């Protein structure tokens, strides 16, 4: 049922000593305090920088620093903030960001290239152009800086100051000379035979052409490489500058969606172009190699990789549509990744269906590839250090120039590996039932620094380990919580962001004297509240698995419970860190004050527990993940005597989707729910996320139909609140409108749709947050609370 005006009970005030929705949903910078983010060291290691806005001023004016041996953060003045500060991002072996002796570094700032000299701590601007220049690196001898400008690579000669164009890539087909017709040929030959003047002109043109060719031979331009009309998505050159690699993507015609923005400055509704829906044809991909030494161009044949021609969905595809499906797999190569002297090159190859990943050695002389490591998953390739969509994964060269490091879920957890590209020998550097995050080498290549969950899946600490693997030494304190770190250039000091359940991230510096705190962000008002951390525990699901749960138990239980479902699918919310859902954390404390038991569950599909947990939802979202919540309901009934009809479930995005599936398919386990910005039909969500888990609607309609709430809407028996932003370009309003129409046609009455005209997928306005959570609280009270309303209203 829809209504326009909220009942008065919705805005009833809590007792003066209790939390209120308006209080906890106000601007977090004002109420909680702004916490620091994005820590990074100056390249010379003198100071740690971070973004922080404790004074509530403009976010663009919010850069702070603290000396490496200091305690007091200082706001960076405007002149320094705008200057091209060289920030340290880790020692990238074989990347040519530094010279081979690490004495100099190149980087970009506001689209221009700068040179930093570590020895005298000076920064020199090398370019001043309106173009956005990218990919700066040194030539192997350090005499030039190479960078990308648009479709081409250029080199700055540091001594002479001249700029040389290294490539001539053109996103078009090579023009073809048209052959003259027989008639045109006859007339041309006749003219030459009859007229001496024309013969003399031809001779002069030939002599001029020969002279031009001699000049070009003495100072040749780069050969032109025509790559068709596709988009250039990769451009690089090997260290010797013999080979140019160009990756092009040929996008199929895709129909994008639109979202309407109704509240605009002009007063006219504005159509916002948005993403396509799942099921689009994968973009074609071609990797071109140009060999300047032989003046030839060829393409790399990725189809020779083992298993590349095996369509993994053959046993799944709907037989009624199988004949019309193109089962040719689209492969895309990321790289080449060259070692420092250019003698070895490796490609990171992904199938568009994301069920295979190959690390392959590239032979640039003929474009052939040899598989070094194949990662195959019948669900989808992912995990910490392994991008869901290809690229941006942990991958690089060890200092020996022969060994590649990478991450793999080969054992069921994402661990760090090396493989010798010459011999093919693979070595596991870490192992165990935990995951590794953000590994990076020290400058001398002797040791690794990385974060892991070895201590507990709820904590994240940093460790040091020899480069060849072996004993790991924890270098952050043993307290519960989660750390993000920025290693100092000297590899012995860490800049840290430490967070806990009741503490937003704060800056610390760890050195030989231990960890010292630099910032304190929360306001006095926020810290004055006695926030409950809840208890991190587990319950046993119906398949015998222990499922992580955070439970908030009130001093005076009212006999009802609220289940919160985190969003994003692959995300963790049962941990000792500061939650992305800090507003919900405060709301759960409010609910606990009112006597409600509150639980969070890291259901199957959540991050933090390895490959099998991640992929347990393959081909059936709303299956095992939903069952974990139904089992949590049964657990509360068994251990605390809470009737399932007195248990409420709510969440946003994926959490909203689970809420809908819970009320439609597990009505006996819950008494009401609130679904926020919910996916109601996965056939209408985006391609990159959805196709990993459910394949595509044409190939695997069974997976989509059993995973989409709209097919089960007739199962709604309990009160349901739905809330959605109207400028949500991610889970678009069309999704919730289609479900609303299903309810109308099914004659369902006990439901409400609240729309928020100015809100995107993640709400931004405190007034919207306040209105939404007042409605959620009202629905909790009316459906499962002590004074619940039994009949529809």
């Amino acid at each position: 049922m829809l209504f326009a005006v909220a009942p008065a009970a919705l805005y009833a005030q809590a007792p003066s000593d209790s939390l209120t929705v308006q209080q906890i949903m106000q601007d977090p910078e004002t109420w909680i305090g702004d916490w620091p983010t994005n820590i990074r060291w100056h390249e010379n290691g003198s100071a740690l920088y971070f973004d922080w806005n404790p004074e509530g001023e403009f976010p663009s004016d919010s850069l702070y620093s603290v000396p490496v041996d200091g305690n007091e953060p200082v706001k960076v003045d405007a002149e320094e903030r705008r200057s091209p500060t060289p920030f340290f991002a880790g020692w990238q072996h074989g990347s040519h960001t530094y010279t081979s002796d690490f004495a100099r570094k190149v980087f970009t700032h506001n689209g221009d290239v700068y040179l930093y000299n570590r020895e005298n701590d000076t920064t020199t601007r090398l370019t001043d152009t309106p173009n956005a220049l990218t990919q700066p690196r040194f030539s192997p001898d350090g005499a030039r800086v190479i960078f990308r400008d648009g479709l081409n690579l250029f080199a700055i000669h540091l001594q002479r100051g001249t700029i040389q164009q290294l490539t001539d890539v053109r996103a078009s087909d090579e023009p073809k000379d048209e052959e003259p017709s027989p008639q045109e040929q006859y007339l041309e030959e006749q003219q030459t035979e009859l007229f001496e003047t024309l013969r003399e002109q031809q001779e002069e043109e030939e002599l001029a052409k020969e002279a031009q060719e001699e000049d070009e031979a003495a100072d040749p331009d780069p050969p032109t490489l025509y790559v068709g009309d596709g988009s250039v998505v990769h451009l690089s050159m090997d260290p010797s500058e013999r080979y140019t690699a160009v990756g092009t993507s040929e996008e199929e015609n895709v129909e994008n969606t639109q979202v309407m923005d109704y509240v605009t400055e002009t007063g006219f509704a504005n159509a916002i172009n948005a993403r396509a829906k799942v099921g689009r044809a994968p973009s074609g991909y071609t990797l071109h190699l140009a060999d300047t030494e032989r003046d030839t161009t060829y393409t790399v044949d990725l189809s020779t990789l083992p298993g590349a021609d095996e369509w993994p969905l053959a046993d799944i595809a709907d037989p009624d549509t199988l004949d019309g499906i193109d089962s040719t797999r689209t492969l895309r190569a990321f790289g080449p990744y060259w070692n420092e002297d250019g003698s070895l090159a490796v490609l990171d190859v992904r199938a568009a269906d994301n069920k295979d990943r190959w690390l392959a050695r590239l032979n640039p002389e003929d474009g052939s590839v040899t598989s070094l490591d194949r990662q195959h998953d019948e669900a989808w390739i992912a995990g910490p250090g392994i991008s869901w969509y290809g690229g941006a994964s942990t991958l690089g060269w060890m200092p020996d120039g022969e060994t590649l490091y990478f991450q793999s879920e080969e054992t069921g957890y994402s661990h760090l590996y090396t493989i010798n590209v010459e011999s093919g020998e693979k070595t596991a550097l870490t192992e165990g039932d935990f995951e590794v995050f953000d590994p990076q080498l020290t400058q001398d290549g002797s040791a690794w620094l990385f974060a892991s969950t070895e201590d507990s899946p709820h904590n994240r600490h940093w460790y040091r380990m020899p480069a060849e693997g072996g004993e790991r030494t924890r270098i952050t304190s043993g307290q519960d919580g989660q750390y993000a770190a920025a290693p100092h250039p000297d590899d012995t000091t860490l800049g840290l962001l430490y967070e806990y359940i009741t503490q937003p991230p704060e800056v610390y510096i760890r050195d030989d004297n231990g960890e010292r705190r630099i910032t304190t962000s929360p306001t006095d008002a926020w810290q004055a509240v006695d926030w409950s951390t809840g208890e991190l525990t587990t319950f046993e699901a119906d398949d015998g698995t222990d499922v992580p749960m955070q439970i908030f138990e009130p001093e005076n239980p009212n006999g009802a419970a609220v289940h919160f479902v985190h969003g994003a699918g692959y995300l963790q919310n049962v941990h000792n860190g500061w939650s992305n859902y800090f507003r919900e954390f405060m709301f759960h404390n409010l609910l606990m004050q009112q006597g409600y038991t509150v639980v969070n569950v890291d259901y199957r599909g959540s991050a933090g527990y390895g490959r099998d947990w991640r992929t347990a939802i393959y081909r059936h979202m709303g299956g095992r993940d939903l069952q974990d919540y139904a089992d949590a309901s049964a657990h509360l009934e068994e251990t605390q005597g809470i009737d399932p009809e007195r248990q409420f479930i709510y969440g946003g995005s994926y959490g909203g989707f689970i809420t809908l599936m819970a009320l439609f398919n597990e009505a006996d386990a819950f008494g009401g729910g609130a679904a926020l910005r919910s996916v109601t039909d996965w056939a209408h969500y985006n391609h990159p996320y959805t196709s990993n888990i459910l394949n595509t609607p044409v190939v695997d309609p069974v997976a989509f139909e059993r995973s989409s709430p709209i097919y089960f809407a007739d199962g709604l028996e309990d009160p349901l609140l739905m809330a959605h932003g109207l400028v949500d370009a991610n889970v678009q309003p069309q999704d919730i409108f289609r479900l609303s129409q299903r309810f109308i046609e099914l004659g369902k009455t006990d439901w409400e749709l609240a729309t928020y005209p100015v809100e995107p997928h993640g709400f931004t306005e405190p007034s919207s947050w306040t209105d939404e959570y007042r409605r959620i609280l009202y629905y909790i009270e009316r459906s499962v609370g002590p004074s619940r309303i039994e009949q529809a209203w």
Side-chain angles (χ1 to χ4, degrees):
M1 179 177 181
L2 293 88
F3 71 91
V5 180
L10 198 65
Y11 296 96
Q13 292 296 313
S16 59
D17 60 344
S18 300
L19 295 169
T20 67
V21 171
Q22 185 172 8
Q23 177 187 19
I24 64 178
M25 294 298 161
Q26 62 183 297
D27 183 352
E29 288 192 10
T30 303
W31 158 230
I32 303 174
D34 185 72
W35 52 86
T37 60
N38 192 22
I39 53 174
R40 63 271 195 200
W41 291 100
H42 192 287
E43 188 69 35
N44 64 15
S46 62
L48 181 69
Y49 289 74
F50 48 93
D51 298 325
W52 194 32
N53 191 19
E55 299 172 358
E57 298 179 352
F58 295 109
S60 60
D61 184 25
S62 58
L63 182 64
Y64 278 72
S65 70
V66 60
V68 62
D69 56 356
N71 292 288
E72 294 298 324
V74 177
K75 188 174 183 179
V76 174
D77 63 38
E79 182 178 355
E80 182 183 356
R81 190 180 71 248
R82 298 188 188 103
S83 68
T85 305
F87 290 119
F88 178 68
W91 304 111
Q92 302 166 330
H93 292 265
S95 71
H96 301 280
T97 304
Y98 294 93
T99 50
S100 59
D101 60 359
F102 296 103
R104 292 176 295 158
K105 175 185 179 178
V106 285
F107 66 99
T108 58
H109 175 76
N110 291 339
D112 278 303
V113 180
Y114 290 80
L115 171 69
Y116 176 71
N117 189 313
R118 296 178 60 81
E119 295 178 346
N120 57 22
D121 192 27
T122 58
T123 300
T124 304
R125 184 172 190 162
L126 300 182
T127 66
D128 187 358
T129 76
N131 300 343
L133 311 182
T134 59
Q135 300 175 212
R137 67 174 179 87
F138 286 99
S139 60
D141 61 5
R144 294 173 301 144
V145 170
I146 297 167
F147 62 90
R148 178 175 173 178
D149 183 358
L151 293 182
N152 286 293
L153 297 172
F154 296 81
I156 302 172
H157 294 256
L158 295 178
Q159 287 288 335
R160 302 198 301 266
T162 58
I163 294 181
Q164 175 190 7
Q165 183 170 341
L166 301 180
T167 64
D168 183 13
V169 178
R170 305 194 184 184
S172 63
D173 294 320
E174 185 173 3
K176 296 181 180 179
D177 294 331
E178 293 186 8
E179 293 292 330
S181 66
Q183 180 191 30
E184 292 170 334
Q185 177 112 14
Y186 171 83
L187 292 174
E188 184 177 335
E189 291 174 354
Q190 183 192 47
Q191 292 291 92
T192 304
E193 181 180 349
L194 290 175
F195 300 104
E196 177 68 22
T197 302
L198 294 179
R199 289 196 297 271
E200 291 175 354
Q201 288 178 355
Q202 286 181 350
E203 290 175 2
E204 291 175 359
E205 290 172 358
E206 289 174 1
L207 291 172
K209 184 177 180 181
E210 290 175 3
Q212 182 180 0
E213 290 174 349
E214 290 177 0
D215 291 341
E216 291 176 351
D219 186 17
D221 289 330
T224 301
L225 175 57
Y226 294 95
V227 294
D229 57 1
S231 299
V232 175
V233 294
H234 174 84
L235 173 63
S236 67
M237 180 175 280
D238 78 299
S240 73
E241 299 175 25
R242 173 179 172 180
Y243 299 103
T244 300
V246 183
T248 59
S249 175
E250 296 80 41
E251 186 76 52
E252 297 287 336
N253 289 326
V254 175
E255 183 175 357
N256 289 323
T257 56
Q258 287 189 327
V259 172
M260 296 302 297
D261 183 2
Y262 293 99
V263 182
T264 65
E265 291 183 0
T266 65
F268 291 91
N270 180 42
I272 302 171
N273 290 321
R275 57 166 174 80
K277 298 186 179 186
V278 62
R280 59 171 172 78
S283 302
Y285 179 83
T286 305
L287 180 59
H288 310 261
L289 277 178
D291 182 352
T292 56
E293 188 173 294
R294 294 181 293 161
D295 192 20
T296 184
T297 301
Y298 39 93
T299 59
V300 176
D301 185 4
L302 303 175
S303 67
T304 61
L305 292 168
D309 59 348
E310 299 169 4
W311 191 42
L313 300 175
D315 296 333
I316 293 174
D318 182 358
D320 294 334
T321 59
L322 187 58
D323 290 341
I325 295 174
D326 182 2
S327 61
T328 304
R329 300 181 80 186
T330 299
L331 307 180
R332 174 169 177 177
F334 296 88
Y337 300 95
W338 300 90
N339 65 354
E340 188 151 1
D341 64 10
S343 60
L344 295 172
V346 170
L347 299 174
D348 186 355
V349 183
R350 299 291 280 266
D353 53 50
N354 205 13
K355 300 184 188 303
D356 277 290
R357 178 195 186 193
W358 298 266
L359 298 179
R361 180 176 179 175
L362 170 67
N363 182 353
E365 291 191 358
D366 60 9
S368 62
V369 292
T370 304
S371 178
L372 297 168
D373 181 75
R374 179 188 178 189
Q375 299 170 34
H376 174 78
D377 197 310
E378 64 181 10
W380 73 98
I381 300 287
I386 312 163
S387 168
W388 280 47
Y389 316 121
S393 299
T394 298
L395 187 70
W397 290 96
M398 301 293 286
D400 65 7
E402 293 185 0
T403 306
L404 198 75
Y405 65 82
F406 63 98
Q407 284 185 252
S408 169
E409 282 189 323
E410 181 177 319
T411 64
Y413 291 84
S414 182
H415 281 290
L416 186 60
Y417 292 80
T418 59
I419 190 165
N420 187 286
V421 177
E422 294 280 16
S423 68
E425 180 182 357
K426 184 168 68 172
T427 303
L429 302 186
T430 60
E431 58 182 350
D433 293 350
F434 63 90
E435 296 183 314
V436 169
F437 303 83
D438 305 322
Q440 48 192 288
L441 283 164
T442 56
Q443 178 180 338
D444 61 7
S446 66
W448 287 101
L449 300 172
F450 58 83
S452 89
T453 54
E454 182 173 0
D455 172 73
S456 163
H458 309 308
N459 296 329
R460 191 173 297 184
H461 284 286
W462 276 74
Y463 293 79
R464 187 181 184 97
M465 179 183 72
E468 65 276 9
E471 184 178 355
R472 297 177 291 277
T473 303
R474 188 173 64 197
I475 52 178
T476 47
S477 72
Q479 61 186 328
D480 287 337
Q482 297 197 340
Y483 286 90
H488 188 276
D490 69 7
D491 300 325
T492 63
T493 303
L494 289 178
L496 298 171
L497 284 176
Y498 168 73
E499 60 185 60
Y500 183 61
I501 299 170
T502 55
Q503 177 183 311
E506 300 287 3
V507 176
Y508 289 71
I509 293 179
R510 179 171 184 81
D511 54 24
D512 292 339
N513 298 316
E515 293 175 12
R516 64 181 184 278
R517 184 168 180 166
I518 304 301
T519 63
T520 299
S521 300
T523 64
D524 292 341
W526 194 85
Q527 292 186 93
V529 178
D530 185 17
W531 299 107
S532 171
T533 63
E535 178 189 2
L536 303 188
T537 182
T538 62
F539 67 91
E540 185 176 338
D542 69 350
D543 64 354
T545 301
D546 288 334
V547 178
M549 176 177 69
Q550 181 185 34
I551 183 167
F552 295 84
E553 297 188 65
E555 291 185 9
N556 301 301
N558 64 11
V562 175
H563 298 252
F564 173 65
V565 191
H566 71 68
Y570 190 62
L571 186 148
Q572 185 181 16
N573 199 41
V574 179
H575 55 71
N576 282 313
W578 177 254
S579 177
N580 292 328
Y581 297 99
F582 58 87
R583 292 181 179 86
E584 288 76 5
F585 165 75
M586 294 186 290
F587 184 60
H588 299 160
N589 272 261
L590 180 156
L591 291 173
M592 193 175 65
Q593 284 185 353
Q594 298 187 13
Y596 292 94
T597 299
V598 184
V599 296
N600 298 317
V601 173
D602 271 349
Y603 51 86
R604 247 63 72 91
S606 299
Y609 307 97
R611 180 265 171 198
D612 291 348
W613 202 274
R614 172 176 63 80
T615 61
I617 60 173
Y618 178 57
R619 299 192 67 225
H620 193 183
M621 292 192 277
R624 185 63 257 180
D625 45 3
L626 172 59
Q627 186 60 49
D628 285 344
Y629 265 95
D631 292 342
S633 171
H635 174 76
L636 291 183
E637 181 181 24
E638 178 182 351
T639 60
Q640 304 207 18
I642 302 176
D643 187 332
E645 284 302 313
R646 297 287 308 281
Q647 299 189 40
F648 190 89
I649 186 169
Y650 88 103
S653 195
Y654 197 95
F657 151 73
I658 288 291
T659 297
L660 294 175
M661 292 292 269
L663 296 191
F664 298 170
N665 291 338
E666 294 287 346
D668 292 342
F670 304 98
L676 323 173
R677 52 194 177 278
S678 317
V679 176
T680 70
D681 186 345
W682 288 105
H684 291 257
Y685 196 53
N686 70 31
H687 184 84
Y689 178 86
T690 314
S691 63
N692 276 291
I693 305 174
L694 300 181
N695 303 310
T696 64
V698 173
V699 171
D700 199 357
V702 171
F704 279 81
E705 290 170 14
R706 70 186 177 192
S707 300
S708 296
I710 199 166
Y711 288 98
F712 306 102
D714 195 33
L716 180 65
E717 299 176 359
D718 298 304
L720 169 64
L721 167 68
M722 300 184 298
H724 217 102
L726 291 188
V727 286
D728 188 342
N730 182 15
V731 181
Q732 298 172 359
Q734 183 191 24
D735 242 37
I736 209 68
F737 293 157
R738 293 176 70 247
L739 180 60
S740 298
Q741 182 61 27
R742 282 286 290 154
F743 285 156
I744 292 168
E745 294 180 5
L746 290 168
K748 300 294 180 180
T749 58
D750 204 2
W751 60 279
E752 171 197 352
L753 173 61
T755 59
Y756 295 85
V758 301
E759 294 297 351
H761 190 62
F763 280 18
T764 60
E765 297 300 321
S767 57
S768 299
W769 282 104
T770 300
D771 183 90
E772 181 181 49
Y773 273 77
R774 279 173 169 165
R775 293 177 187 274
I776 294 170
L777 180 58
Y778 176 77
Y779 260 77
I780 291 171
E781 293 175 343
R782 67 158 289 224
S783 61
V784 304
S787 304
R788 58 192 175 133
I789 304 170
E790 297 289 351
Q791 71 281 354
W793 46 281

